[in-house]
Amino acid sequence: ALGVRRNIPASEAVEAARTMTEHLLKHIPSATRAVAGYRAIHHEIDVSAALEELHERSYTLCLPVVVGPGRPLIFRQWKPGDSLEQGAYGIDIPPPSRPELIPDTIIIPLAAFDTAGHRLGYGAGYYDRTIAKMRADQSSVRLIGVAYGCQQVERIPADENDCRLDMIVTEKGVMSLA
């Protein structure tokens, strides 16, 4: 799955991200308090334009932070242009001085996905643990997976610890699963 994503030509990746952004922006509810995005790494589809537009529309944004192995992610407030520091796995994160937020919409990068709303990430389980905790604490978290259309597979093996997505957005369109 990661090899498929890595082999997308740069010009196609840029165009796919632009089209995906158009689809994604139509599906962020106006009542959303905070949207968690991510900083693209390892050839993930780039959501920076979507985050910039959400900021322009006055949404509160945050980014995920790995706080330790086996622990759920936390989310720190961020906006385009804010300084970042390098966190776990070389991922850019907001510094500890930024407030922690609890997003009600999370945009999640995918390594692969299926039509049942199951996803593959990098295998460490950070998003699954985080989502399980958030759903136990607040039932209204909305999960939007984003990827290139070519990352769709027939079936992702899933168990009770794997959280299903509410929606998947690619350059090809939107798959609503809720």
Side-chain angles (χ1 to χ4, degrees), residues 35-112:
V35 176
Y38 64 90
R39 302 281 295 184
I41 60 170
H42 306 302
H43 306 281
E44 293 167 337
I45 196 161
D46 188 358
V47 295
S48 59
L51 297 177
E52 288 174 19
E53 180 61 28
L54 290 169
H55 174 68
E56 290 296 318
R57 295 180 186 184
S58 299
Y59 284 87
T60 300
L61 302 175
C62 53
L63 295 175
V65 176
V66 174
V67 292
R71 295 181 56 196
L73 300 166
I74 63 167
F75 297 90
R76 289 190 192 133
Q77 189 171 8
W78 170 86
K79 67 181 181 309
D82 281 356
S83 63
L84 297 168
E85 60 185 42
Q86 193 170 73
Y89 307 105
I91 298 169
D92 289 337
I93 61 170
S97 61
R98 300 301 299 155
E100 286 186 32
L101 300 177
I102 299 173
D104 47 2
T105 298
I106 304 175
I107 301 168
I108 303 172
L110 310 175

Side-chain angles (χ1 to χ4, degrees), residues 144-167:
I144 303 175
V146 293
Y148 298 101
C150 64
Q151 292 177 258
Q152 182 174 342
V153 297
E154 186 175 322
R155 183 178 167 279
I156 300 286
D159 63 28
E160 67 276 354
N161 295 318
D162 294 313
C163 297
R164 283 184 68 240
L165 299 165
D166 298 309
M167 177 179 291

